Amino acid sequence: MQAENGSSSARFTIAADHTYTAEDLPRALACRLEIAAGSPPGCGDGSPSVSFAGTWRLADGNPRELWLEYDDFLVRRAIRDGDELGFSVRSVEAPRPDYVFRRT
């Protein structure tokens, strides 16, 4: 999947074996405000973009929601909508996700 606007080099690859690869994700999407031991590499050094890999699983009771984990810690939740994968950084209650990736 590639960033919706196509101008970003950010890519997100989801595999059927419940693994994912994130390439050049914006720091705001990949890193929490407080950098913890389970944060993806690159979060602690102030990089503007972060690349890492991890595992995903479906949320209990919601087959559209993916939980993305790195080193057994939840990094971010994502919502599947057709060929799009949306990420909310500020609030999951927002009407539109902050970041959207499209199937390529």
Side-chain angles (χ1 to χ4, degrees):
M1 305 186 104
Q2 187 169 16
E4 181 180 45
N5 64 12
S7 65
S8 171
S9 61
R11 294 186 60 81
F12 201 86
T13 305
I14 299 173
D17 67 355
H18 287 254
T19 61
Y20 70 87
T21 304
E23 301 173 60
D24 296 323
L25 291 189
R27 179 180 176 76
L29 175 56
C31 307
R32 301 272 183 199
L33 293 176
E34 291 186 29
I35 306 305
S39 295
C43 288
D45 64 13
S47 300
S49 64
V50 179
S51 297
F52 57 98
T55 58
W56 66 268
R57 63 185 171 95
L58 294 176
D60 294 336
N62 187 351
R64 290 183 52 225
E65 184 176 333
L66 276 70
W67 288 24
L68 306 164
E69 298 175 344
Y70 172 81
D71 200 23
D72 294 327
F73 290 94
L74 178 65
V75 173
R76 188 71 62 196
R77 296 182 317 173
I79 302 295
R80 295 183 303 161
D81 187 10
D83 285 341
E84 294 183 345
L85 189 63
F87 294 88
S88 296
V89 174
R90 292 170 281 169
S91 170
V92 294
E93 305 298 323
R96 181 86 174 126
D98 300 304
Y99 294 93
V100 176
F101 288 78
R102 283 218 153 138
R103 182 183 311 263
T104 58

